[in-house]
C-alpha cells in the first residue's frame, strides 16, 4: 500500500523541471494566457540567445506575476539557482506590494516547481543587493528599463547587475524599442526606450555589448500610440477603441541586447 501511495504522489507531482526549454514554454503548468504570449515574447529563442544553461545561477529582475519564472524556475530547479529580484516588501507603492504577494502565492501553490526560488529585492538605494556579489552567471530583465528611467534609477540598477555578476557573466536586456531620434522625455512617456540609451547605461556600469538580436522585433509596431506602449496588448489601455487595430499589431517592437561583464 505504501508503494502505491508513493506512486500516486509521484504521478500527481508536476515534473516540469525535468523538461527542455521548449517543453517548459508549452508546459501544462503554464496557463493558456501565458502560453499565448509565447508568440510575442519568444522565450525559448530569447533564453537560448542569452545562453541560459540549466546549471547556472540566474537572477530575473522584477518578475512581476512570474511569466518567465514559470520557465526559469523549473529549468534551474535541479542543478542551478534562480533568484527573483522582486519588489521590496516594505515598498510605499501599493501595486508593488500586491505584485509581490501574488508572486509568492503562485510559488506556494506549486512547491514542486518553485520551492527552490530565492526571492530578493531591487529598488535602490535601499534595496540594491539582488544576489551575493560576483556569484551570478546571468542577470535577465524584461521590459523594465522605462520604469527605472522614469524613476531616475537606471544607473543604480545597472550597477546592481554588475555587482552581482561574475566576471564573464552575461546581462540580458529585452525592452520596448524607440527610434534613436526620440528625446529621452518622450521615451519615458511612451514606455519605448532607444537602444542607444540602454547601451549607454550598461556601458556606464562597466558592461560591454556583445550582440544584438531581432528575436523580439515587431515591424508592425510603429511605436507611436495614443497611450504609449500600453495601447498595445496585453494592456490595451484604450479598451474597445480601435481594439482590433491594436490586436492586429500585437505586442511591442523590442530590442534584445546581450552584455558581458569583462573578465
Amino acid at each position: 500500500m505504501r508503494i502505491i501511495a508513493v506512486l500516486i504522489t509521484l504521478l500527481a507531482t508536476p515534473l516540469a523541471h525535468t523538461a527542455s526549454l521548449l517543453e517548459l514554454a508549452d508546459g501544462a503548468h503554464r496557463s493558456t494566457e501565458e502560453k499565448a504570449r509565447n508568440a510575442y515574447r519568444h522565450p525559448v529563442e530569447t533564453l537560448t540567445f542569452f545562453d541560459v544553461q540549466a546549471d547556472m545561477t540566474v537572477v530575473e529582475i522584477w518578475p512581476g506575476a512570474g511569466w518567465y519564472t514559470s520557465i526559469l524556475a523549473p529549468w534551474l530547479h535541479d542543478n542551478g539557482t534562480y533568484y527573483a529580484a522582486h519588489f521590496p516588501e516594505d515598498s510605499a507603492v501599493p501595486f508593488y506590494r500586491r505584485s509581490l504577494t501574488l508572486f509568492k502565492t503562485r510559488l506556494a501553490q506549486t512547491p514542486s516547481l518553485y520551492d527552490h526560488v530565492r526571492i530578493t529585492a531591487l529598488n535602490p538605494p535601499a534595496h540594491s543587493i539582488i544576489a551575493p556579489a560576483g556569484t551570478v552567471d546571468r542577470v535577465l530583465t524584461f521590459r523594465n528599463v522605462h520604469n527605472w528611467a522614469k524613476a531616475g534609477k537606471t544607473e543604480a540598477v545597472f550597477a546592481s547587475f554588475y555587482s552581482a555578476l561574475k566576471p564573464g557573466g552575461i546581462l540580458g536586456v529585452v525592452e520596448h524599442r524607440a527610434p534613436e531620434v526620440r528625446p529621452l522625455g518622450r521615451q519615458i512617456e511612451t514606455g519605448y526606450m532607444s537602444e542607444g540609451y540602454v547601451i549607454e547605461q550598461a556601458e556606464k556600469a562597466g558592461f560591454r555589448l556583445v550582440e544584438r538580436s531581432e528575436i523580439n522585433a515587431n515591424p508592425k509596431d510603429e511605436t507611436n500610440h495614443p497611450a504609449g506602449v500600453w495601447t498595445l496588448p496585453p494592456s490595451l489601455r484604450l479598451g474597445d477603441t480601435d481594439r482590433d487595430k491594436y490586436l492586429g499589431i500585437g505586442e511591442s517592437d523590442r530590442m534584445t541586447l546581450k552584455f558581458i561583464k569583462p573578465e
Side-chain angles (χ1 to χ4, degrees):
M1 293 296 292
R2 176 172 176 154
I3 294 175
I4 293 174
V6 170
L7 287 173
I8 291 173
T9 300
L10 289 173
L11 288 172
T13 302
L15 297 177
H17 54 82
T18 65
S20 67
L21 280 177
L22 185 60
E23 290 168 328
L24 287 170
D26 197 40
H29 68 292
R30 304 185 76 215
S31 70
T32 301
E33 292 76 17
E34 283 181 321
K35 288 186 284 189
R37 296 189 69 193
N38 288 350
Y40 299 111
R41 302 193 71 177
H42 310 101
V44 176
E45 297 88 343
T46 300
L47 295 176
T48 300
F49 176 69
F50 293 144
D51 191 25
V52 178
Q53 302 295 324
D55 61 350
M56 287 181 170
T57 297
V58 178
V59 181
E60 183 187 356
I61 305 300
W62 284 10
W67 195 92
Y68 257 104
T69 304
S70 64
I71 300 172
L72 285 167
W75 177 243
L76 300 165
H77 185 278
D78 290 351
N79 300 303
T81 302
Y82 172 72
Y83 285 95
H86 215 291
F87 304 124
E89 287 184 333
D90 62 356
S91 174
V93 181
F95 169 78
Y96 286 179
R97 297 196 303 272
R98 289 195 302 270
S99 179
L100 177 60
T101 297
L102 291 172
F103 182 76
K104 288 182 174 180
T105 299
R106 176 176 189 165
L107 301 189
Q109 287 172 344
T110 317
S112 60
L113 297 182
Y114 303 123
D115 58 341
H116 290 183
V117 173
R118 302 184 185 185
I119 299 178
T120 57
L122 176 66
N123 193 23
H127 302 277
S128 298
I129 300 174
I130 57 175
T135 64
V136 174
D137 298 291
R138 299 288 182 270
V139 171
L140 307 176
T141 177
F142 304 98
R143 300 156 45 247
N144 288 312
V145 178
H146 57 284
N147 295 306
W148 303 323
K150 183 177 181 178
K153 296 185 177 183
T154 313
E155 187 172 338
V157 297
F158 274 84
S160 293
F161 304 161
Y162 195 87
S163 175
L165 281 164
K166 302 173 182 176
I170 295 294
L171 166 64
V173 179
V174 177
E175 175 62 314
H176 313 296
R177 177 165 52 189
E180 291 299 323
V181 296
R182 185 172 293 175
L184 179 59
R186 180 63 178 158
Q187 292 179 46
I188 293 170
E189 180 184 352
T190 61
Y192 290 93
M193 308 303 296
S194 70
E195 289 193 8
Y197 174 81
V198 176
I199 293 169
E200 178 186 33
Q201 295 300 311
E203 290 180 343
K204 189 181 295 185
F207 290 103
R208 178 171 58 84
L209 179 66
V210 176
E211 193 175 356
R212 313 179 197 217
S213 174
E214 292 299 298
I215 294 167
N216 295 298
N218 180 1
K220 295 181 181 179
D221 180 18
E222 78 281 7
T223 79
N224 192 17
H225 310 295
V229 71
W230 304 279
T231 307
L232 299 178
S235 298
L236 292 170
R237 188 166 288 180
L238 299 184
D240 290 333
T241 302
D242 293 326
R243 184 183 183 89
D244 289 342
K245 170 186 173 180
Y246 297 123
L247 286 173
I249 294 172
E251 296 195 20
S252 66
D253 178 58
R254 293 163 190 167
M255 68 184 85
T256 305
L257 305 177
K258 183 194 297 185
F259 299 93
I260 192 168
K261 178 177 178 177
E263 299 274 1

Coordinates of all heavy atoms in Angstrom, one line a residue, residues 6-21 23-25 27-30 70-71 73-78 110-115:
V6 N 3.1 6.1 -2.8 CA 4.2 6.9 -3.3 C 4.1 7.1 -4.8 O 4.3 8.2 -5.3 CB 5.5 6.1 -3.0 CG1 6.7 6.8 -3.7 CG2 5.8 6.1 -1.5
L7 N 3.6 6.0 -5.5 CA 3.4 6.2 -6.9 C 2.4 7.2 -7.3 O 2.5 8.0 -8.2 CB 3.1 4.8 -7.5 CG 4.2 3.8 -7.6 CD1 3.6 2.4 -8.1 CD2 5.3 4.3 -8.6
I8 N 1.3 7.2 -6.5 CA 0.2 8.2 -6.7 C 0.7 9.6 -6.5 O 0.5 10.5 -7.3 CB -1.0 7.9 -5.8 CG1 -1.7 6.6 -6.2 CG2 -2.0 9.0 -5.8 CD1 -2.8 6.1 -5.3
T9 N 1.6 9.7 -5.5 CA 2.1 11.1 -5.2 C 3.0 11.5 -6.3 O 3.0 12.7 -6.7 CB 2.9 11.0 -3.8 OG1 2.0 10.6 -2.8 CG2 3.5 12.4 -3.5
L10 N 3.8 10.6 -6.8 CA 4.8 11.0 -7.9 C 4.0 11.4 -9.1 O 4.3 12.3 -9.8 CB 5.7 9.8 -8.2 CG 6.8 9.6 -7.1 CD1 7.5 8.3 -7.4 CD2 7.7 10.7 -7.0
L11 N 3.0 10.6 -9.4 CA 2.2 10.9 -10.6 C 1.5 12.2 -10.5 O 1.2 12.9 -11.5 CB 1.2 9.7 -10.9 CG 1.8 8.4 -11.4 CD1 0.7 7.3 -11.4 CD2 2.4 8.5 -12.7
A12 N 1.1 12.6 -9.3 CA 0.4 13.9 -9.1 C 1.3 15.1 -9.0 O 0.8 16.2 -9.0 CB -0.4 13.8 -7.8
T13 N 2.6 14.8 -9.0 CA 3.6 15.9 -8.8 C 4.1 16.3 -10.2 O 4.6 15.5 -11.0 CB 4.8 15.4 -8.0 OG1 4.3 15.0 -6.7 CG2 5.8 16.6 -7.8
P14 N 4.0 17.6 -10.6 CA 4.5 18.1 -11.8 C 6.0 17.9 -11.9 O 6.7 18.1 -11.0 CB 4.2 19.6 -11.8 CG 3.1 19.8 -10.8 CD 3.3 18.7 -9.8
L15 N 6.4 17.3 -13.1 CA 7.8 17.1 -13.3 C 8.4 18.0 -14.3 O 9.3 17.6 -15.0 CB 8.0 15.6 -13.7 CG 7.6 14.6 -12.6 CD1 7.7 13.2 -13.2 CD2 8.4 14.7 -11.3
A16 N 7.8 19.2 -14.4 CA 8.2 20.1 -15.5 C 9.7 20.5 -15.4 O 10.3 20.8 -16.4 CB 7.4 21.4 -15.5
H17 N 10.3 20.4 -14.2 CA 11.7 20.9 -14.1 C 12.7 19.8 -14.7 O 13.9 20.1 -14.7 CB 12.1 21.2 -12.7 CG 11.8 20.1 -11.7 ND1 12.6 19.0 -11.5 CD2 10.7 19.9 -10.8 CE1 12.1 18.2 -10.5 NE2 11.0 18.7 -10.1
T18 N 12.1 18.7 -15.2 CA 13.0 17.8 -15.9 C 12.9 18.0 -17.4 O 13.6 17.3 -18.2 CB 12.6 16.3 -15.6 OG1 11.3 16.1 -16.1 CG2 12.6 16.1 -14.1
A19 N 12.1 18.9 -17.9 CA 11.8 19.1 -19.3 C 12.8 20.1 -20.0 O 13.6 20.8 -19.3 CB 10.4 19.6 -19.5
S20 N 12.8 20.1 -21.3 CA 13.6 21.1 -22.1 C 12.9 22.5 -22.0 O 11.8 22.6 -21.6 CB 13.7 20.6 -23.5 OG 12.4 20.7 -24.1
L21 N 13.6 23.5 -22.5 CA 13.1 24.8 -22.5 C 11.8 24.8 -23.4 O 10.8 25.5 -23.0 CB 14.1 25.8 -23.0 CG 15.1 26.3 -22.1 CD1 16.1 27.2 -22.8 CD2 14.5 27.1 -20.9
E23 N 9.7 22.4 -24.0 CA 8.6 21.7 -23.3 C 8.1 22.6 -22.2 O 6.9 22.6 -21.9 CB 9.1 20.4 -22.8 CG 9.4 19.3 -23.9 CD 10.1 18.1 -23.4 OE1 11.0 18.3 -22.4 OE2 9.9 17.0 -23.9
L24 N 9.0 23.3 -21.5 CA 8.6 24.2 -20.4 C 7.7 25.3 -20.9 O 6.7 25.7 -20.3 CB 9.8 24.7 -19.6 CG 10.5 23.7 -18.8 CD1 11.9 24.3 -18.3 CD2 9.7 23.3 -17.6
A25 N 8.1 25.9 -22.0 CA 7.4 27.0 -22.6 C 6.0 26.7 -22.9 O 5.1 27.5 -22.8 CB 8.1 27.6 -23.8
G27 N 4.4 24.0 -21.4 CA 4.0 23.1 -20.4 C 2.6 23.2 -19.9 O 2.1 24.3 -19.8
A28 N 2.1 22.1 -19.3 CA 0.7 22.2 -18.7 C 0.7 23.0 -17.4 O -0.4 23.4 -17.0 CB 0.3 20.7 -18.4
H29 N 1.9 23.3 -16.8 CA 1.9 24.1 -15.6 C 1.7 25.6 -15.9 O 1.5 26.3 -15.0 CB 3.2 23.9 -14.9 CG 4.4 24.4 -15.6 ND1 4.9 23.9 -16.8 CD2 5.3 25.4 -15.3 CE1 5.9 24.6 -17.2 NE2 6.2 25.5 -16.4
R30 N 1.8 26.0 -17.2 CA 1.6 27.4 -17.6 C 0.1 27.5 -18.1 O -0.4 26.7 -18.7 CB 2.6 27.8 -18.6 CG 4.0 27.6 -18.3 CD 4.9 28.1 -19.3 NE 5.0 29.6 -19.2 CZ 5.1 30.4 -20.3 NH1 5.1 29.9 -21.5 NH2 5.2 31.7 -20.2
S70 N 7.9 30.9 -14.6 CA 7.3 29.5 -14.8 C 8.2 28.7 -15.8 O 7.9 27.5 -16.0 CB 5.9 29.7 -15.4 OG 5.9 30.4 -16.6
I71 N 9.1 29.4 -16.5 CA 10.1 28.6 -17.3 C 11.4 28.5 -16.6 O 12.0 27.4 -16.5 CB 10.2 29.4 -18.7 CG1 8.9 29.5 -19.4 CG2 11.3 28.7 -19.5 CD1 8.9 30.3 -20.7
A73 N 12.4 28.9 -13.3 CA 12.5 28.2 -12.0 C 12.5 26.7 -12.2 O 13.4 26.0 -11.6 CB 11.3 28.6 -11.1
P74 N 11.6 26.1 -13.1 CA 11.7 24.7 -13.3 C 13.0 24.3 -14.0 O 13.6 23.2 -13.8 CB 10.5 24.3 -14.2 CG 9.5 25.5 -13.9 CD 10.4 26.7 -13.6
W75 N 13.4 25.1 -15.0 CA 14.7 24.9 -15.8 C 15.9 24.8 -14.9 O 16.8 23.9 -15.1 CB 14.8 26.0 -16.8 CG 16.0 25.9 -17.7 CD1 17.0 26.9 -17.7 CD2 16.4 24.9 -18.6 NE1 18.0 26.5 -18.7 CE2 17.6 25.3 -19.2 CE3 15.8 23.8 -19.1 CZ2 18.2 24.6 -20.2 CZ3 16.4 23.0 -20.1 CH2 17.6 23.4 -20.6
L76 N 15.9 25.6 -13.8 CA 17.1 25.7 -12.9 C 16.9 24.9 -11.7 O 17.8 24.9 -10.8 CB 17.4 27.2 -12.6 CG 17.7 28.1 -13.8 CD1 17.5 29.6 -13.4 CD2 19.1 27.8 -14.3
H77 N 15.8 24.3 -11.5 CA 15.4 23.7 -10.2 C 16.4 22.7 -9.7 O 16.8 22.7 -8.5 CB 14.0 23.0 -10.4 CG 13.5 22.4 -9.1 ND1 13.8 21.2 -8.6 CD2 12.5 22.9 -8.3 CE1 13.2 20.9 -7.5 NE2 12.4 22.0 -7.3
D78 N 16.8 21.8 -10.5 CA 17.7 20.6 -10.0 C 19.1 21.0 -9.9 O 19.8 20.6 -9.0 CB 17.5 19.4 -10.9 CG 16.1 18.8 -10.8 OD1 15.4 19.2 -9.9 OD2 15.8 17.9 -11.6
T110 N 2.5 25.7 -6.1 CA 3.2 24.5 -6.8 C 4.6 24.4 -6.3 O 5.6 24.7 -7.0 CB 3.2 24.7 -8.3 OG1 1.9 25.2 -8.7 CG2 3.5 23.4 -9.0
P111 N 4.8 23.9 -5.0 CA 6.1 23.9 -4.4 C 7.1 22.9 -5.2 O 8.3 23.1 -5.1 CB 5.8 23.4 -3.0 CG 4.5 22.8 -3.0 CD 3.7 23.5 -4.1
S112 N 6.5 21.9 -5.9 CA 7.4 21.0 -6.6 C 8.2 21.7 -7.7 O 9.2 21.3 -8.1 CB 6.6 19.9 -7.2 OG 5.6 20.4 -8.1
L113 N 7.7 22.8 -8.2 CA 8.3 23.6 -9.2 C 9.1 24.8 -8.7 O 10.2 25.2 -9.2 CB 7.3 24.1 -10.3 CG 6.6 23.1 -11.1 CD1 5.7 23.8 -12.1 CD2 7.5 22.1 -11.8
Y114 N 8.6 25.4 -7.6 CA 9.0 26.7 -7.2 C 9.7 26.7 -5.8 O 10.0 27.8 -5.2 CB 7.9 27.7 -7.2 CG 7.3 27.8 -8.6 CD1 5.9 27.6 -8.7 CD2 8.0 28.2 -9.7 CE1 5.3 27.7 -10.0 CE2 7.4 28.3 -11.0 CZ 6.1 28.0 -11.1 OH 5.5 28.2 -12.3
D115 N 9.9 25.6 -5.2 CA 10.4 25.6 -3.8 C 11.8 26.0 -3.7 O 12.3 26.3 -2.6 CB 10.2 24.2 -3.2 CG 10.9 23.1 -3.9 OD1 11.2 23.3 -5.1 OD2 11.1 22.0 -3.3

